[in-house]
Every structure is written in C-alpha cells, then in structure tokens.
Amino acid sequence: MNPDLYPDVAAAGSLAAALESAAAELAVDITLVPGTWGDAASAGIAPPAGAVPSGPVRRPLQVHLSAAGRSFGVSGRSLGAELITGWTAELRDVVRAAVAWGSGRSLAELRGRFPFLSSSELAEAHEHGAAAVVGLQWRWVRERALGEAESTEFGLLVAAAGAEPRLRQLSPAVSHGRLLLAGRTGFPSEPVIAIVPADDGRSYRVRRFPHGGVVAEAGTAAEAVALAVAHLPADLGPAVLGSDEDA
C-alpha cells in the first residue's frame, strides 16, 4: 500500500478500517469480512445482518487497492458468477455500492446509480435464471463453431448436441477442442460429460467427468451425441445456477 496514494487507508491502518470510517461518515451499517488479498489491501463487505434481499444470495462485495494509482477495485459474485465489477477513487462510493449490492439491487440499478460499475452479458443472463445462462452459452458455442469453419467435425458436433434436448439443457463450454457439458452454471462447475470431435483419423470420443477416460467412441457426430446421452446420470435435469458453496 502506497501511503501517498492512499493516505486515508494508511491513517486508518487497513482498508477494512478505512471502509468502517467511510461507512460511519455516511451513517450506514456495513459488515466487514476478510478480503482475498490480505487485510491491509483488501476487504469484503457483506450484506448487513438481517438483510433479506430478493433473488440469489450475493457474496460479500470484494474490495482491493490498485498499485498503479489511487483506485479501489470492486467485484460482486453470486452463485459462482461474477456479476459486477468496477474501479473508483472514492472510498465512499465503494461503501454506497456495497450497501446497494447487498440489498439486492438489480444490475441495471447498480450501473445507473454507480457509473463506475459494469456488468457483462453473461452477468445479465444470471439475473434471469439458469435457462437464460444456458441459452446464452449455447449461442456462444454455436458462434464459435461458425468461426472455426476449418473444423467441420466440431461444427457437426455442436449442431448435433444442440439439437438433443437432454444436452441442450446443460451448461456448455469448449476447452481444448472438446465440448464440455455441466449440470451447473458458474465457476467452479465440473462437467458431467465431454465429447471430443473426430480428428486425425480418430473417432468421436465420449468422456465421463470428473473421473474416467473414454467411455465410448463413434463414427459420426449424431452417434457421439446419442452415446453421450446414454452415459448421462439418469437423474440429471436442466442445469441450475451455481452451487450452495458459491452462494
């Protein structure tokens, strides 16, 4: 922490103490929790005790100092997804934003009240539920397949998987050329099944997660998709938002 950049934080002794002082000046109650970068340079601001915001539970707004110049970075997560981020030089703005975040204000409201905050298209989808997130992810996967015209097998695989109801309801991602499908959105989210496109003379391959190697091989994308469905857990339904541990 550079005291020339952060004289208020240096005088208070830590970022948490400086946030408490700013909250007192604003006459608002905040609940501080440990930050992810150490007590001196980071802190979390949890929703006030007794607050019952509508919608999914939000994690404490994380706050940390920039080393490049006076700026407080903030990040708000809920159920495994980062929903809001931003930078501001004003400590009081951080406290005001944290109170609004903890009270359950929508992302649009937060951006409107605090112009230094921003949110992604994926974050916006999370406000509308898991189905909206999954729909957006499938759109991105299809766009990626179109952008990789040289990989015909990958495009065929995405088209076939997206047409299969049991796979289309899962959260898709692409990693190292594999189509990964998970029962939860957000991070961390372990895939339950993966399909590897045919390449270099090899067949399509279906892999079970989190453990296990190839469980089936197929000559066509349609056959690979059918085999993937056959190896899904019988009780696996539509993907859900995050997990209780990420709340």
Side-chain angles (χ1 to χ4, degrees), residues 25-187:
E25 293 172 1
L26 294 169
V28 297
D29 293 326
I30 61 173
T31 301
L32 292 167
V33 297
T36 56
W37 291 13
D39 293 340
S42 67
I45 306 177
V52 186
S54 60
V57 175
R58 290 176 171 180
R59 300 189 71 173
L61 189 75
Q62 289 295 315
V63 188
H64 64 273
L65 308 180
S66 169
R70 180 181 172 86
S71 191
F72 300 97
V74 301
S75 171
R77 298 178 63 83
S78 177
L79 298 178
E82 184 176 65
L83 301 189
I84 203 85
T85 61
W87 293 88
T88 178
E90 298 297 329
L91 201 55
R92 289 188 177 189
D93 285 347
V94 173
V95 172
R96 293 188 183 100
V99 171
W101 162 259
S103 69
R105 298 285 184 180
S106 71
L107 299 183
E109 287 179 288
L110 289 169
R111 293 195 310 272
R113 293 177 62 180
F114 308 102
F116 69 91
L117 293 177
S118 63
S119 54
S120 67
E121 186 180 8
L122 184 61
E124 296 285 343
H126 271 83
E127 284 198 311
H128 298 286
V133 175
V134 169
L136 176 61
Q137 290 173 324
W138 273 109
R139 193 192 86 195
W140 286 348
V141 168
R142 288 193 294 270
E143 290 174 352
R144 177 165 179 171
L146 288 174
E148 297 181 9
E150 71 281 358
S151 180
T152 303
E153 289 78 10
F154 178 70
L156 292 172
L157 172 59
V158 169
E164 166 52 52
R166 286 207 68 196
L167 298 187
R168 192 172 60 246
Q169 69 183 352
L170 299 178
S171 175
V174 178
S175 176
H176 297 90
R178 305 170 299 174
L179 179 62
L180 310 180
L181 298 158
R184 294 184 183 276
T185 66
F187 178 83

